[in-house]
Amino acid sequence: MLAFEPELSEHIDMLKLARSGRGKSRVTPTIDIYRRSSSAPPECLRRCKAIRRRRLGLRHTEAPSLLSMVIVVFCILLQPTGSLMRSLYLFRLGSTSSIVCRRALITPIIPLIATYSLKIHVNATIQTNPSLDALNICTISEIIAKRRWSELKKVQKDADHIQILQQLSDSNGNPSLVLVYFTWLEKDYGVSHSLGQYCRLLNLLAKAKLYPKIKRLLNDFVAKKEGHSNSSIFHALSMVDDWFCGNSVLVDMLILAYVKNLKVDLAVEAFKLAGHYGFELSVNSCNPMLAALVDQGKIQVMENVHMVMIRRKVQPDVITFNIVINGLCKAGKLQKARDLMGDMKVWGISPTVVTYNTLINGYWKKGSVGRMYKADALLKEMLSKKICPNEITYNTLIDGFCKDENLPAAMKVFKDMEMQDLKADVVTYSSLISGLCNDQKIHEALDLRDEMLGCGLQPNIVTYSALINGYSKKGMLKEARELSDDAARQGLAPTAVTFGG
């Protein structure tokens, strides 16, 4: 051993200490001392360097530090795939121990680098090169547009229909084509689409403002009785997209679809739930729902829905008021209906002839004492506001006065009708003939019938029934039988009233 080798052994012990993580800063200065020492023989320098390489070369068997792993992964993410291994090979930490660090970093993670490099290469290939799936989607879109269904079956024979539908939806293509494919899958393949798929398609159509298609799709969805609750539908719409305006439109049309399919209870439930979600509805759905509730006699529910509409600031129109007034009149709440007509002015809405006709009809059917005089007062109010009454207005008043056995008032309204240049129809004459026959004025009734025939109007079963009943009350049974036979020749079936039943 050379004379200074014990001193070198001491410094080699320092190198061992550096390997354990302590005294690392003393390693390089120690070797540098011998490299710069003019008194050190060349053999000593060679021996020193050999020991340095032999001792420090064992570091590649150890696991790299966390910082080293982070640096390597960072390089993997930033470098292009083709130059990844070259970049790692040229990797430097900027210290005299770069060889050690390079060997220590690269050797243990070569399998990891190879696997990750392959994954990056595959992903980059998919993103930069048009794949077969993308080409198939383009082909399928073209086939759908041309409605070549037999060819479509061959193209997607072994394909996942749901995956194709998803790719069509995500391709930012024509939403109408997605709808066509969606419908074709149901009819030809018997595919039962999930609620989420329905909502995704509805959202796609709403963004394209294809509202007629949305109405048809929702109508089919509701008619199929899928069994989905309103809560699940609202949740699915919210999960697909938080587009507030679009979801409001979809819920609005959903309520309308419920009404068209006579599922009024579900429509009311959706209306209430829309308030919890904060969706804004319109009279396009609320008006049909109110009308359906009136038709079903659910007047109290109708009133509640109307009040909630006002509270949610759904802007009502004249149709809204006419529907609610009609419901109140059917329930006999005439004063409330009259007050509501006065409230129309607050909303800047003027009553129409339909509004007045509804109130007049309400007084006729549900009014108490003096009901027809109140109805007649409404007629005078219409004329004072320059709202022109129509045939329905006068026919309602004439029939009401005849039912009240007030023939003079009925005849007066009839004359006013002629002064307004309105032509009497078969309903007008039948009401007057019935009133005259009930008052046993059969000859005046026959005169009206002749006038009616002279105007080119053919009597209906109500006209025949009134005349036959009038003949029967007068004991003129032969004439009653002849008139009944004439009605039979006209193809008019007799009723219980015809024979005084």
Side-chain angles (χ1 to χ4, degrees):
M1 181 175 292
L2 299 177
F4 59 87
E5 191 164 349
E7 184 180 358
L8 180 62
S9 298
E10 178 183 350
H11 289 288
I12 290 176
D13 291 337
M14 293 173 59
L15 294 176
K16 292 181 180 179
L17 184 64
R19 290 185 58 198
S20 65
R22 300 187 300 270
K24 184 182 298 185
S25 60
R26 299 177 62 185
V27 175
T28 301
T30 303
I31 300 300
D32 289 342
I33 289 173
Y34 287 97
R35 290 176 59 188
R36 296 169 185 165
S37 176
S38 59
S39 60
E43 178 63 22
C44 293
L45 292 174
R46 185 190 63 77
R47 179 78 178 275
C48 177
K49 291 178 181 180
I51 294 173
R52 178 177 181 273
R53 286 195 301 270
R54 184 170 61 253
R55 298 292 180 116
L56 296 182
L58 297 176
R59 288 179 63 89
H60 73 275
T61 60
E62 297 181 1
S65 66
L66 178 61
L67 177 61
S68 302
M69 289 292 291
V70 170
I71 294 173
V72 171
V73 172
F74 184 73
C75 292
I76 292 173
L77 294 176
L78 290 183
Q79 293 294 332
T81 306
S83 60
L84 177 63
M85 297 307 296
R86 178 172 55 84
S87 300
L88 288 174
Y89 179 77
L90 298 176
F91 180 68
R92 294 291 188 272
L93 290 179
S95 68
T96 56
S97 60
S98 58
I99 297 175
V100 178
C101 294
R102 185 166 63 247
R103 298 167 82 180
L105 285 171
I106 294 177
T107 305
I109 60 171
I110 285 295
L112 175 64
I113 295 174
T115 303
Y116 197 83
S117 175
L118 180 60
K119 182 178 180 181
I120 293 177
H121 176 72
V122 171
N123 290 338
T125 303
I126 293 176
Q127 293 175 1
T128 57
N129 300 325
S131 64
L132 291 176
D133 288 340
L135 293 176
N136 284 337
I137 290 300
C138 295
T139 303
I140 289 173
S141 298
E142 183 179 354
I143 293 173
I144 294 173
K146 296 180 180 179
R147 306 296 197 272
R148 299 201 300 261
W149 305 122
S150 57
E151 186 177 346
L152 180 60
K153 290 180 180 180
K154 295 178 182 178
V155 171
Q156 62 163 21
K157 183 176 181 181
D158 299 324
D160 184 353
H161 309 310
I162 305 303
Q163 184 180 5
I164 293 176
L165 182 63
Q166 182 65 40
Q167 291 181 4
L168 283 172
S169 302
D170 296 340
S171 63
N172 296 323
N174 188 352
S176 297
L177 293 182
V178 182
L179 176 61
V180 170
Y181 182 70
F182 186 92
T183 306
W184 179 75
L185 284 178
E186 279 189 327
K187 292 182 178 179
D188 285 37
Y189 271 81
V191 175
S192 180
H193 297 292
S194 66
L195 178 58
Q197 291 164 350
Y198 266 103
C199 291
R200 279 192 291 272
L201 178 57
L202 287 169
N203 181 267
L204 202 64
L205 295 173
K207 289 182 177 179
K209 298 183 179 181
L210 300 175
Y211 301 128
K213 296 181 184 296
I214 294 174
K215 288 182 179 180
R216 287 193 293 270
L217 181 61
L218 281 173
N219 187 65
D220 294 340
F221 172 75
V222 171
K224 289 173 184 176
K225 300 180 180 179
E226 296 287 346
H228 299 295
S229 66
N230 279 316
S231 299
S232 61
I233 295 173
F234 278 54
H235 177 70
L237 285 174
S238 301
M239 292 298 293
V240 169
D241 200 330
D242 58 357
W243 181 31
F244 177 78
C245 294
N247 287 337
S248 295
V249 171
L250 293 176
V251 171
D252 208 47
M253 293 184 178
L254 174 65
I255 293 174
L256 184 60
Y258 279 136
V259 173
K260 287 186 175 180
N261 286 272
L262 304 179
K263 300 181 179 181
V264 185
D265 292 338
L266 288 175
V268 174
E269 182 185 44
F271 172 80
K272 294 178 180 178
L273 196 59
H276 299 318
Y277 278 79
F279 294 142
E280 295 179 355
L281 304 180
S282 71
V283 292
N284 295 329
S285 64
C286 293
N287 284 351
M289 178 172 56
L290 291 172
L293 289 170
V294 173
D295 292 339
Q296 294 185 4
K298 299 178 179 180
I299 308 302
Q300 187 60 51
V301 180
M302 180 272 297
E303 289 187 72
N304 294 337
V305 170
H306 179 248
M307 287 190 294
V308 174
M309 282 178 58
I310 302 302
R311 190 163 58 245
R312 292 186 192 170
K313 299 182 180 180
V314 178
Q315 183 69 31
D317 56 12
V318 66
I319 298 175
T320 311
F321 283 101
N322 289 343
I323 293 171
V324 177
I325 289 173
N326 182 38
L328 295 173
C329 289
K330 285 187 174 182
K333 301 178 179 180
L334 299 176
Q335 187 57 49
K336 196 171 184 178
R338 191 75 166 87
D339 295 339
L340 186 60
M341 188 173 72
D343 293 341
M344 295 174 68
K345 298 178 182 178
V346 178
W347 292 89
I349 301 173
S350 300
T352 64
V353 62
V354 176
T355 313
Y356 279 100
N357 286 350
T358 303
L359 268 174
I360 290 172
N361 186 68
Y363 277 113
W364 167 51
K365 292 183 177 179
K366 297 291 183 177
S368 55
V369 179
R371 58 181 182 171
M372 292 313 301
Y373 289 103
K374 293 179 181 179
D376 191 53
L378 287 172
L379 174 62
K380 292 180 173 61
E381 183 180 318
M382 290 176 66
L383 295 172
S384 67
K385 293 183 177 181
K386 301 187 182 306
I387 299 175
C388 297
N390 56 18
E391 291 84 353
I392 297 175
T393 313
Y394 285 105
N395 286 343
T396 305
L397 287 167
I398 290 170
D399 193 45
F401 279 123
C402 289
K403 292 288 195 306
D404 273 358
E405 300 181 356
N406 191 345
L407 281 175
M411 295 305 295
K412 181 180 181 300
V413 174
F414 179 61
K415 296 300 180 182
D416 292 341
M417 183 178 183
E418 292 178 336
M419 290 178 62
Q420 292 290 331
D421 293 329
L422 294 174
K423 293 183 178 180
D425 56 14
V426 65
V427 176
T428 314
Y429 282 105
S430 296
S431 297
L432 286 170
I433 290 171
S434 178
L436 291 168
C437 289
N438 287 334
D439 203 27
Q440 297 187 10
K441 295 180 179 180
I442 188 65
H443 297 294
E444 290 87 340
L446 291 173
D447 291 339
L448 271 179
R449 186 210 41 192
D450 294 339
E451 181 181 332
M452 176 182 176
L453 293 172
C455 293
L457 299 174
Q458 294 298 320
N460 58 17
I461 189 61
V462 177
T463 316
Y464 277 105
S465 298
L467 289 169
I468 293 171
N469 191 36
Y471 277 128
S472 300
K473 287 183 177 181
K474 295 285 287 186
M476 304 169 67
L477 299 181
K478 179 181 178 181
E479 290 80 357
R481 176 57 63 184
E482 290 176 354
L483 199 59
S484 178
D485 294 340
D486 184 47
R489 285 192 296 270
Q490 298 292 330
L492 301 175
T495 64
V497 180
T498 307
F499 302 102

